[in-house]
Amino acid sequence: MRPFNHFSPTTLSEALSLLAEHNGKAAMIAGGTDLLLKMKAGLRKSDVVVNIKRLSDLRCLTFDAANGLKLGALTTLRELTRSPIIFEHYPALAHTAHIMASEQIRSLATVGGNLCNAAPSADLAPPLIALDALVSLIGPAGERQLPLADFFTGPGKSVLQPGELLKEITLPPPVGQTIYLKHSPRAYMDIAVVGVAVRILLEGDVCREARVVLGAVAPVPLCAHQSEEILAGQTLTDKRILQAAKTAAQECSPIDDVRGAAWYRRRMVEVLLKRGIKSIQ
Amino acid sequence: MTNPSAQIIGQRVPKMDASAKATGKATYGHDVRLPGMLHGRILYSRYPHAKIVNIDISRAKNLRGVKCVLTSADNPSHLFGYGKDNRPFKAIARSLRDEIAGVVAIDPDIAEEALELITVEYEPLPAIFSPKGALAEGAPLIHPERKSQSNMFHSYRYAHGELEQGERESDVVIEASYTVPYVTHACMETSVVVAQFDLRDHLTLWSTTQIPFLLQRDLSEALGISGSQIRIIQTAVGGAFGRGLDIYPYEPIAALMARKVGQPVRLAFSRHEEFTAGPARQPVEVKVRAGAKSDGTLTFRDVFCMLDVGAYISWGSVTPLVMMETTASLYQVPHVRFQADCVYTNNLITGAMRGYGNPQSTFFVETIMDRLAEALRMDPVEFRVHNANVPNSETPQGLIITSCGMKECLEAVAANADEGAKHNASAPVSNTARSVAVNRPLTAKDSPHLKRGIGFAATLNVGGGARIYRSDGCGATVKVDDFGHVTLITGSTEIGQGSETVLAQIVAQTLGAKMEDVTVLNSDTDIKPWDVGVHASRTTFIAGNAAYLAALDARSQIFETAAELLKAKPEELLSNNGSVTVKDDPKRSVTIAQAARSRHFKEGGKVILGEGWYDPPTKLVDKDTYKGNISAAYGFGAQMAEVVVDTETGKVRVLRLVCANDVGFAINPMAVEGQIEGGAQMGLGYALTEELLVKNGKILNPDLLDYRLFTSADMPEIKSIIVETDDPKGPFGAKGVGEMGGTPTAAAIANAIYDAVGVRMTQLPMTPERVLAAIMEKEKTE
């Protein structure tokens, strides 16, 4: 790895001015579990690295029944797996974090990093989008908030502007039940070949609200709106579930790569979505 | 052989280096630091086949911190390697892993930066990426200097019996094609070497090799200096599995660098380099036909293999000898024909890897066995037992089988099959679930898409050395000092397999010394006697016999002196726990230390120094017929896999793997279990997840993210069953077990998948995608 200048600001304003000073060319490091691999492999070259781990404004994990969850960008995956708040109110997030990487990596890797890295296969994106997450971004132009669903623009790309960073994620109070199912050849230490998050609000047999979000089958984590429409307001019969699953499989646009063939990924979207809905039922 | 009162062999003795390794205190190759040491990096070819028209190193040379830059102009004039087709740096690149230039700098980052400053002008040549393409008429020659004027390196052809007769006598015949992939060792420690020349022009090389003495010879050839100028010091080895069985260009390159700069040079591979420039197990395309009579007796096997050996020949190109052995001699087959074509391509280099051809061949032989049993409506275990190898027999290939527990192994794993069915009825079939409610275990009962199956496979492996070099020997000396401390100096090498501990047990047992009084020296060619290397599961048997002989020699010296002190005859003595005692009068006793001191410290005194050299009574196979007894003993094993297949995702979960191995005698049962479990882990990866994806000579997944090793979280329950047959030639009856653990695993799992869902998998690894495709294909035709 080439030498670089490393800055460790302790306040948000200091960090923002450092980022502004380098005109968006500085790399931000939190857990470093994505960045350092890229730098070592020469895929990312940066002369300046700004460590954001000391920014207390990016750390929080609070919940109240009226406003829901505030999750600082620096929350580690391990914290997600160990937090009683997450476990009680958003168990799907605890589960998702638990099946990511390894204990060592989970201790370093952050929620913000997983989102800002913007991999189409990022495991946390589908369940967070399904939970209607909003992201707060802060930069030279001030702070703005938008749905996480609108955050991603392509593989490795997001709406983050030069000098802007992800501060926190907010989730409304939980509605219905959420599940994230991941297909990967190994139990742990693996990237999703397909990830499917589904959130369903049931009233008796009738689905009042449905969210279907797919990972690793499109350039960005994909909201399968047509599939959601098939489910919303309907009784969840086997036939309807299958129809929603097949529709989601058609909505996505997977590619063939070393992790799986497009046909297989579509098929797994169908199987996992069907299983996800049934397990909520 | 046994010393009745001692209790060292047969015990679960922890490995002598376990605490050093567990605490990180062991000195691995990557830990070696010498005063004034510099760092080398290698520039690899941009094209899989190209002529280097021009190379400009001036900018790299001028970078601050760079000491020198080497290219093919710095090559000695000699070719090296098993096929005598390799050079340190290449003027013509034949694969993407070809070394074009090397940089020495004060730190590895500067060396890396300098590589980017080297400008190479290539003239791309037509490249070939498949053996078929390489053998096609008019295909460009990868080594045009070769006399044969063909890309065929070698075609191994073997036969016994009369194939036509075998076919005539068959009531059922099965025909199938198989594909097995490139896989790699993925050692925890990447390849590393430190080279230093002294003022006498003598080279010392710190290395993780498995073959220090052959490397000494190979390096002398590559560098054009005498072997007596080369000293190899082995560090603690962070994984070898066959990787260390060859010379690789980076080793002479490090030596050339060190010689040029006059300072020690360290060359350590990155993980990426380990994948791209390291060796892989040969991918093989196989066509098999095999038959049996209606009473279950095998009639014939006809096998054709095509191996892609890559751009240069390594010892790995000899793996067809082992594929041949499995084909000709695993079970009793009266009529066999085998052909294996080893073909040059512009793909990655291939080499030796645990099992040495056997994992490939056992996969097709044992899945064909299952199909024959099915066609005959016979129980797969009964069918195997009916045809099993038997003790005190000679196979038509000329293997002389003495001890043989094949039947016992098969029966032992079969006895566990029923237990599995019971065990599974109530137990969850998913073990990924933890406390999180949404991932609660699915049970076979309420999940119609989960299907359970069991499958069997057996294996045969050399267990008493393998003569593939003119000597299959190993030397040993045993020294006893005046404190009664025992030093075994053995030619064999510790590569993590536990040989040190087993050899120390043999010596302690034979001498009647305490285990804690034994030290093993095994890492320096200037000190230790010759050995051919760690391969072929040979160390316990060969080095064990050598250590036994040396200890016996030392014991007779101790007894000679003790007899004088005790006023008894040497044959009246026995030794145990550090003391020598008169058998019939145990009160008359001296310690080994007392005997040693008495022998040393007197006029005309002597040191206690025993020596042993063991070369097994075997032969090189005949160069035309490939027949002959290559090993002094053969190991046998069987496995039963119990799997659950998800019919909607194609995912295969192995619930249990029951492994029985005939090891003759377990000198250290814990170490045997370690070998079986470690082998099973590699076998599971080969079966289910591991594959180097190669396109146009380039590896698409050269990292541990997308090259999927089987992790501890994926491991099933493994039950190791040790079968003991008391081998007549093995030390204390022991045979080798190092490679068998992973050999039958892929076949056992494939057979279990068939049992579960009725599809025959013929391509490894059996990924969810491939299994699902096979299930869908089957549904389509039904």
Side-chain angles (χ1 to χ4, degrees):
Chain A
M1 196 164 40
R2 286 168 177 237
F4 52 82
N5 288 316
H6 183 259
F7 295 96
S8 233
T10 52
T11 66
L12 191 53
S13 58
E14 198 186 335
L16 290 173
S17 61
L18 266 169
L19 294 173
E21 195 182 311
H22 295 98
N23 198 24
K25 297 228 168 89
M28 264 178 273
I29 187 165
T33 58
D34 282 311
L35 179 73
L36 288 176
L37 290 185
K38 287 180 193 164
M39 288 178 74
K40 281 181 183 171
L43 299 172
R44 168 105 195 228
K45 286 177 185 167
S46 193
D47 296 332
V48 178
V49 173
V50 176
N51 170 23
I52 57 168
K53 277 192 292 265
R54 294 185 178 185
L55 306 182
S56 54
D57 290 341
L58 273 58
R59 276 186 198 283
C60 70
L61 203 172
T62 59
F63 176 80
D64 68 71
N67 299 308
L69 182 75
K70 261 186 195 255
L71 201 59
L74 289 176
T75 308
T76 63
L77 303 185
R78 187 173 187 275
E79 284 168 320
L80 283 187
T81 65
R82 302 295 164 110
S83 157
I85 291 176
I86 300 293
F87 203 82
E88 188 182 343
H89 302 288
Y90 305 94
L93 288 184
H95 166 67
T96 304
H98 175 73
I99 56 173
M100 290 170 76
S102 64
E103 186 73 0
Q104 291 92 329
I105 293 170
R106 288 193 294 269
S107 300
L108 285 171
T110 63
V111 176
N114 190 239
L115 299 177
C116 293
N117 190 48
S121 59
D123 284 308
L124 283 172
L128 282 171
I129 295 172
L131 288 162
D132 291 341
L134 299 173
V135 286
S136 300
L137 313 180
I138 188 158
E143 194 165 346
R144 57 179 175 141
Q145 199 176 45
L146 64 147
L148 178 60
D150 300 334
F151 177 75
F152 304 101
T153 54
K157 290 186 184 131
S158 69
V159 300
L160 276 175
Q161 295 301 303
E164 200 174 32
L165 57 80
L166 171 61
K167 190 180 153 208
E168 66 189 19
I169 299 108
T170 48
L171 294 183
V175 175
Q177 269 188 287
T178 308
I179 186 169
Y180 175 67
L181 293 178
K182 168 178 178 172
H183 179 77
S184 57
R186 292 189 296 209
Y188 294 89
M189 300 287 290
D190 221 341
I191 302 267
V193 176
V194 170
V196 173
V198 54
R199 179 166 67 83
I200 302 273
L201 174 64
L202 281 176
E203 231 177 63
D205 283 348
V206 179
C207 169
R208 282 292 155 221
E209 201 176 317
R211 289 277 185 285
V212 176
V213 189
L214 312 175
V217 288
V220 295
L222 184 81
C223 299
H225 293 306
Q226 293 169 31
S227 177
E228 290 169 353
E229 280 166 26
I230 289 168
L231 297 168
Q234 302 294 328
T235 305
L236 296 185
T237 59
D238 282 359
K239 201 179 153 195
R240 188 153 290 275
I241 293 170
L242 195 63
Q243 193 193 347
K246 284 189 184 297
T247 303
Q250 290 314 311
E251 274 182 87
C252 61
S253 53
I255 54 164
D256 288 320
D257 68 12
V258 296
R259 292 178 194 143
W263 75 265
Y264 184 74
R265 288 181 147 128
R266 278 191 205 278
R267 185 92 179 193
M268 287 311 99
V269 165
E270 183 185 324
V271 171
L272 296 187
L273 182 53
K274 186 185 76 182
R275 287 184 184 179
I277 299 170
K278 286 198 168 187
S279 74
I280 288 174
Q281 258 185 323
Chain B
M1 259 189 185
T2 44
N3 187 338
S5 53
Q7 293 288 329
I8 297 170
I9 58 152
Q11 300 301 305
R12 304 178 67 85
V13 178
K15 282 163 96 171
M16 292 166 86
D17 57 3
S19 49
K21 286 181 173 170
T23 56
K25 302 281 186 206
T27 305
Y28 288 93
H30 278 256
D31 298 322
V32 173
R33 297 286 182 279
L34 301 178
M37 187 176 82
L38 301 169
H39 299 266
R41 293 291 291 157
I42 293 171
L43 179 73
Y44 296 97
S45 176
R46 182 173 298 169
Y47 296 94
H49 199 189
K51 209 163 152 183
I52 313 301
V53 180
N54 188 35
I55 180 162
D56 180 3
I57 58 172
S58 56
R59 286 199 306 151
K61 254 176 143 171
N62 291 332
L63 184 72
R64 192 211 285 249
V66 170
K67 295 285 184 176
C68 75
V69 181
L70 285 81
T71 65
S72 64
D74 298 283
N75 280 348
S77 56
H78 320 268
L79 291 162
F80 66 83
Y82 185 82
K84 302 285 173 281
D85 56 9
N86 217 333
R87 295 173 177 81
F89 296 106
K90 279 73 173 177
I92 293 176
R94 295 177 177 84
S95 75
L96 287 168
R97 54 94 55 232
D98 274 24
E99 298 80 358
I100 305 302
V103 170
V104 181
I106 55 171
D107 79 43
D109 291 333
I110 292 174
E112 186 74 36
E113 196 181 336
L115 293 183
E116 292 172 26
L117 300 176
I118 298 172
T119 317
V120 186
E121 196 185 318
Y122 294 92
E123 180 191 318
L125 300 169
I128 316 159
F129 304 112
S130 76
K132 263 183 210 141
L135 294 180
E137 210 170 309
L141 290 176
I142 291 164
H143 291 278
E145 72 283 5
R146 279 170 47 87
K147 266 192 222 128
S148 69
Q149 290 295 297
S150 158
N151 288 322
M152 175 83 81
F153 173 70
H154 192 67
S155 179
Y156 290 87
R157 291 171 195 210
Y158 168 88
H160 73 240
E162 295 292 337
L163 199 71
E164 283 170 16
Q165 187 192 336
E167 297 201 38
R168 271 199 313 275
E169 289 171 6
S170 300
D171 295 310
V172 294
V173 172
I174 300 285
E175 197 169 335
S177 299
Y178 292 88
T179 305
V180 293
Y182 284 109
V183 290
T184 190
H185 317 74
C187 299
M188 278 198 273
E189 182 185 35
T190 59
S191 299
V192 60
V193 65
V194 178
Q196 181 178 37
F197 273 92
D198 66 14
L199 295 175
R200 293 190 301 168
D201 201 30
H202 281 209
L203 168 68
T204 303
L205 200 79
W206 284 260
S207 162
T208 60
T209 184
Q210 293 172 239
I211 46 153
F213 293 98
L214 295 191
L215 182 61
Q216 203 181 18
R217 197 197 62 140
D218 289 345
L219 269 175
S220 84
E221 196 173 63
L223 297 169
I225 62 177
S226 162
S228 75
Q229 286 169 266
I230 298 171
R231 176 185 186 188
I232 312 278
I233 297 177
Q234 288 165 281
T235 61
V237 177
F241 311 112
R243 179 189 68 183
L245 207 63
D246 263 292
I247 183 173
Y248 299 103
Y250 78 89
E251 293 161 317
I253 284 176
L256 292 174
M257 287 171 162
R259 200 184 212 178
K260 185 143 181 173
V261 295
Q263 278 171 266
V265 172
R266 172 182 192 260
L267 229 161
F269 275 14
S270 68
R271 180 57 67 184
H272 181 269
E273 213 172 1
E274 183 72 13
F275 275 102
T276 54
R281 180 182 282 162
Q282 305 72 21
V284 193
E285 299 280 341
V286 192
K287 282 197 169 70
V288 190
R289 293 181 73 240
K293 293 182 195 173
S294 56
D295 69 351
T297 307
L298 292 173
T299 47
F300 79 97
R301 248 180 227 153
D302 188 11
V303 170
F304 176 77
C305 298
M306 182 92 93
L307 279 76
D308 183 341
V309 298
Y312 301 94
I313 295 300
S314 71
W315 274 98
S317 64
V318 184
T319 53
L321 287 177
V322 178
M323 297 182 195
M324 182 190 294
E325 182 180 291
T326 317
T327 304
S329 297
L330 176 59
Y331 300 102
Q332 302 183 51
V333 200
H335 310 286
V336 168
R337 184 171 69 177
F338 174 91
Q339 180 177 341
D341 292 351
C342 293
V343 185
Y344 279 118
T345 67
N346 295 111
N347 281 324
L348 30 152
I349 56 157
T350 58
M353 184 169 167
R354 198 176 194 173
Y356 208 71
N358 212 352
Q360 294 100 309
S361 50
T362 302
F363 176 58
F364 62 73
V365 165
E366 273 294 6
T367 47
I368 286 281
M369 285 297 285
D370 228 53
R371 295 171 87 141
L372 286 169
E374 188 199 14
L376 292 165
R377 297 172 190 280
M378 277 185 81
D379 174 84
V381 175
E382 261 172 47
F383 174 62
R384 285 178 168 86
V385 169
H386 180 72
N387 290 290
N389 301 99
V390 293
N392 304 313
S393 60
E394 182 172 345
T395 75
Q397 195 184 6
L399 310 188
I400 297 167
I401 294 173
T402 51
S403 64
C404 171
M406 186 171 183
K407 179 170 175 269
E408 290 82 351
C409 288
L410 281 161
E411 285 171 350
V413 297
N416 277 273
D418 295 338
E419 187 194 306
K422 269 182 268 161
H423 161 91
N424 192 55
S426 56
V429 293
S430 161
N431 59 22
T432 56
R434 295 288 150 96
S435 55
V436 184
V438 290
N439 200 22
R440 67 180 172 272
L442 301 163
T443 62
K445 216 169 63 186
D446 62 15
S447 303
H449 59 275
L450 296 179
K451 305 284 186 201
R452 192 188 77 97
I454 58 171
F456 300 88
T459 181
L460 152 76
N461 202 85
V462 290
R467 190 173 297 273
I468 56 170
Y469 189 69
R470 55 204 276 212
S471 169
D472 194 13
C474 176
T477 62
V478 167
K479 182 195 83 167
V480 183
D481 75 8
D482 52 311
F483 297 107
H485 186 83
V486 180
T487 306
L488 165 68
I489 306 173
T490 172
S492 77
T493 295
E494 172 68 43
I495 59 167
Q497 83 280 43
S499 69
E500 250 167 37
T501 312
V502 165
L503 297 177
Q505 283 178 271
I506 289 172
V507 168
Q509 176 80 44
T510 308
L511 275 182
K514 293 178 185 169
M515 186 66 190
E516 64 263 31
D517 285 338
V518 182
T519 298
V520 181
L521 295 184
N522 53 6
S523 60
D524 188 336
T525 56
D526 270 10
I527 294 169
K528 66 181 189 174
W530 195 85
D531 173 64
V532 76
V534 177
H535 75 102
S537 308
R538 71 188 278 281
T539 303
T540 295
F541 191 98
I542 305 282
N545 268 323
Y548 173 75
L549 292 172
L552 218 52
D553 186 8
R555 189 177 76 181
S556 73
Q557 296 168 31
I558 295 165
F559 278 16
E560 188 182 270
T561 302
E564 286 168 23
L565 295 172
L566 295 168
K567 304 200 178 2
K569 292 178 187 158
E571 58 271 23
E572 291 168 350
L573 303 177
L574 60 83
S575 57
N576 186 26
N577 206 27
S579 293
V580 183
T581 310
V582 179
K583 272 180 217 166
D584 301 328
D585 187 3
K587 279 179 211 143
R588 286 158 67 199
S589 172
V590 291
T591 63
I592 289 176
Q594 282 171 324
R597 284 197 291 273
S598 166
R599 198 174 172 89
H600 286 186
F601 301 135
K602 63 181 181 192
E603 201 175 321
K606 290 177 186 166
V607 292
I608 296 173
L609 197 60
E611 65 169 292
W613 166 257
Y614 183 77
D615 195 3
T618 53
K619 290 185 189 131
L620 283 166
V621 292
D622 182 274
K623 66 180 174 41
D624 299 316
T625 65
Y626 299 106
K627 288 180 184 169
N629 190 37
I630 195 171
S631 183
Y634 295 87
F636 296 87
Q639 292 187 354
M640 188 217 67
E642 182 182 348
V643 305
V644 165
V645 182
D646 185 327
T647 56
E648 291 181 336
T649 64
K651 199 162 172 174
V652 177
R653 174 167 298 281
V654 181
L655 297 179
R656 290 195 311 149
L657 197 64
V658 181
C659 314
N661 284 90
D662 164 19
V663 301
F665 169 73
I667 289 171
N668 186 335
M670 189 155 67
V672 170
E673 287 164 15
Q675 287 287 5
I676 293 174
E677 289 168 19
Q681 184 273 344
M682 291 182 91
L684 284 156
Y686 192 49
L688 295 172
T689 58
E690 290 184 43
E691 177 172 23
L692 284 171
L693 300 162
V694 179
K695 196 175 176 188
N696 295 341
K698 187 178 179 188
I699 302 174
L700 304 177
N701 56 339
D703 54 57
L704 293 171
L705 186 64
D706 285 316
Y707 182 82
R708 289 186 169 89
L709 291 166
F710 216 70
T711 70
S712 56
D714 304 304
M715 284 296 280
E717 175 194 337
I718 296 201
K719 181 166 182 172
S720 302
I721 300 168
I722 295 173
V723 171
E724 297 188 323
T725 51
D726 192 17
D727 187 79
K729 295 199 185 74
F732 299 100
K735 303 189 277 191
V737 67
E739 292 164 287
M740 283 193 288
T743 302
T745 313
I749 293 172
N751 294 339
I753 292 172
Y754 180 78
D755 187 40
V757 292
V759 298
R760 290 287 179 193
M761 300 304 297
T762 56
Q763 184 176 7
L764 297 181
M766 298 175 279
T767 60
E769 195 173 306
R770 286 182 185 140
V771 173
L772 184 64
I775 292 171
M776 288 163 65
E777 188 62 35
K778 177 174 176 272
E779 282 168 357
K780 218 192 292 173
T781 55
E782 272 171 4

